[in-house]
Amino acid sequence: METYNIARREGGWGISQNKNIPEGSYATREGAVEAVYLAASNDIKKGHGVSIAIEPPRADEPAMGGTP
């Protein structure tokens, strides 16, 4: 099972795979999701299960996950 987590990083959002340190710098959560989609689709083609978790926005953040 491949596990992807999208979480806040300084200045944006990052992606961690299988509980590693988040990498990348995406301005929005949606940008990070698009990157995960590509990786996850390759995992699915290889016959792996996939789990994706996305950290919710803070109360003062817009739903899109960018900078307010």
Side-chain angles (χ1 to χ4, degrees):
M1 170 80 74
E2 298 295 321
T3 302
Y4 295 92
N5 292 299
I6 297 174
R8 276 179 203 80
R9 286 188 53 124
E10 186 175 326
W13 296 84
I15 301 168
S16 66
Q17 183 176 4
N18 299 325
K19 298 184 180 181
N20 291 321
I21 296 171
E23 296 180 356
S25 181
Y26 301 90
T28 64
R29 290 180 302 155
E30 288 72 22
V33 168
E34 290 174 9
V36 166
Y37 172 76
L38 295 173
S41 66
N42 287 329
D43 292 329
I44 292 167
K45 289 175 189 174
K46 293 176 185 176
H48 300 284
V50 175
S51 173
I52 300 171
I54 304 168
E55 186 176 323
R58 295 180 185 134
D60 63 342
E61 288 179 321
M64 293 290 288
T67 306

